[in-house]
Amino acid sequence: MNVSTLSWIDGTNRDGFCRMVEQTLLPAEFVEIDVKTVPDMVDAIWRLAVRGAPAIGVAAGYGMLLGIQQEGGRERGDLMKHIKSTSETLAKARPTAVNLFWALERMVLRAQTDFEGGADSAALVAGQFEEAKSIHTEDAAQCRRMGELGADLIKDGMTLLTHCNAGALATGGMGTALAPIYVAHEQGKNVAVFADETRPLLQGARLTTWELMQAGIDVTLITDNMAARVMMEGKIDAVIVGSDRIARNGDVCNKIGTYGVAILAKYHGIPFYVVAPRSTIDVKVATGAEIPIEERPAVEITEGYGKRTAPEGAKVYAPAFDVTPAELVTAIVTEVGIIHSPTTEKILEAMSRA
Ligand code: MRU
């Protein structure tokens, strides 16, 4: 899979910018946009031009660079304040994917450490460049590692069901949930995928189907309400999804509809796998009940993609994510290993590993 969903284009180290795939236009058009200001990065994240938890984290790091790259002339105390306020602005983009806050905290911590070590303003800016680029390269490496570990769960001839898009488009690398599929495919295993359409914004139909077809992987698109039927017909060997935030007890928050798929999988005796880097695990959150769930505008349901499908003025409720209780999760694949039947103890142990 060769799609690079976002990258930092270096200028003179003062006028760099973030180039990203405009995901709202896929699959009709493959267009890249150049994001050059912090408000434009907030907007790109909110509009889902860049989306998927790890990709949002990488975008947040680059958003910080947009905010500070021209500020190296400030007095260093003033620059520190500016770094913190840029991070607060970016944090407002979307509430659920913890990778956004994780990346911003990491950027601010780096600045704080450099500041306390006596760095001048130029060195503070240089440190931010290094950190943002590390967030991206580390994410790519973690995707690969999760792909290798997760591929062991995929036997030759298996068919997997996935929900939303947790592929290259959603990360700085080859994906989370789709990474084991890519690696299994590389290993010569025969793998097929059923992709849920993922109402209302159709990340499954528009993005996963497109991405897997580009990679030459056998993919079949279904609407979300077909998943039960497809499982009953015995067509699915395992479910594999990504996550936007995992609580420390193993509850998994992901795209709306994931919880329903997990219940269906349990009923049909199908394993339910989650693939996510540790940057998606929020140990500050005890259970999924504490995870803030984004609500999206009603128009995304009533007039998705320009066609009115509900009466004018219809009352709408539009949570963008749901929480799958840990008891429905067979295993979580992270970059440091597979956590089977996740519990708080096992998650904290994985988080403490080097
Ligand atoms: O609203 P989105 O498209 O950002 O939601 C994305 C998802 O729910 C993904 O499944 C999740 O971020 C995992 S991405 C590797």
Side-chain angles (χ1 to χ4, degrees), residues 51-54 94 164-166 170-171 176 203 242-244 254-255 321:
R51 32 69 50 205
R94 288 185 80 188
C164 196
N165 171 266
T171 66
T176 56
Q203 288 93 332
S243 174
D244 289 84
N254 192 45
K255 179 54 54 194
F321 298 94

Side-chain angles (χ1 to χ4, degrees), residues 114-133:
D114 289 349
F115 183 82
E116 282 161 17
D120 63 12
S121 295
L124 279 174
V125 172
Q128 293 289 287
F129 268 85
E130 204 175 85
E131 203 64 31
K133 289 178 181 178

Side-chain angles (χ1 to χ4, degrees), residues 273-297:
Y273 298 125
V274 177
V275 186
R278 289 183 299 173
S279 52
T280 297
I281 299 177
D282 186 355
V283 290
K284 291 191 227 113
V285 154
T287 75
E290 292 171 30
I291 298 175
I293 302 291
E294 177 180 21
E295 284 186 39
R296 299 287 301 179

Side-chain angles (χ1 to χ4, degrees), residues 54-304:
I56 292 172
V58 176
Y62 290 150
M64 291 293 288
L65 299 187
L66 294 174
I68 63 154
Q69 61 180 345
Q70 290 177 3
E71 306 299 329
R74 290 187 190 224
E75 181 278 319
R76 66 185 210 111
D78 184 38
L79 181 57
M80 264 313 293
K81 280 195 206 127
H82 180 67
I83 288 172
K84 286 182 186 155
S85 80
T86 304
S87 137
E88 283 157 18
T89 302
L90 285 159
K92 295 190 180 110
R94 288 185 80 188
T96 302
V98 75
N99 303 61
L100 172 67
F101 312 102
W102 169 86
L104 293 172
E105 273 167 30
R106 181 167 158 172
M107 295 293 289
V108 171
L109 182 66
R110 171 64 188 263
Q112 196 70 49
T113 308
D114 289 349
F115 183 82
E116 282 161 17
D120 63 12
S121 295
L124 279 174
V125 172
Q128 293 289 287
F129 268 85
E130 204 175 85
E131 203 64 31
K133 289 178 181 178
S134 299
I135 288 173
H136 195 167
T137 51
E138 286 169 26
D139 184 56
Q142 287 160 4
C143 286
R144 178 87 218 168
R145 187 71 194 128
M146 290 185 289
E148 286 161 0
L149 292 168
D152 286 346
L153 301 169
I154 301 178
K155 308 284 167 260
D156 188 36
M158 268 174 79
T159 299
L160 297 115
L161 181 134
T162 192
H163 191 76
C164 196
N165 171 266
L169 286 166
T171 66
M174 69 195 309
T176 56
L178 298 192
I181 295 171
Y182 289 133
V183 173
H185 182 72
E186 275 170 26
Q187 292 168 343
K189 292 178 192 161
N190 231 329
V191 196
V193 178
F194 274 80
D196 279 350
E197 177 185 45
T198 317
R199 281 276 294 152
L201 293 180
L202 309 183
Q203 288 93 332
R206 295 187 303 104
L207 308 177
T208 298
T209 310
W210 179 83
E211 197 184 308
L212 291 173
M213 286 172 74
Q214 297 283 313
I217 290 172
D218 178 350
V219 55
T220 303
L221 174 64
I222 54 171
T223 62
D224 299 342
N225 52 0
M226 292 173 187
R229 177 71 199 166
V230 172
M231 287 186 190
M232 183 182 248
E233 287 172 351
K235 290 187 162 68
I236 306 298
D237 299 300
V239 172
I240 196 159
V241 295
S243 174
D244 289 84
R245 195 185 296 218
I246 298 174
R248 69 170 180 268
N249 71 340
D251 289 351
V252 171
C253 179
N254 192 45
K255 179 54 54 194
I256 192 75
T258 304
Y259 174 42
V261 174
I263 293 170
L264 292 174
K266 182 82 170 178
Y267 182 80
H268 291 94
I270 296 168
F272 181 88
Y273 298 125
V274 177
V275 186
R278 289 183 299 173
S279 52
T280 297
I281 299 177
D282 186 355
V283 290
K284 291 191 227 113
V285 154
T287 75
E290 292 171 30
I291 298 175
I293 302 291
E294 177 180 21
E295 284 186 39
R296 299 287 301 179
V299 71
E300 292 179 355
I301 293 180
T302 57
E303 259 179 281

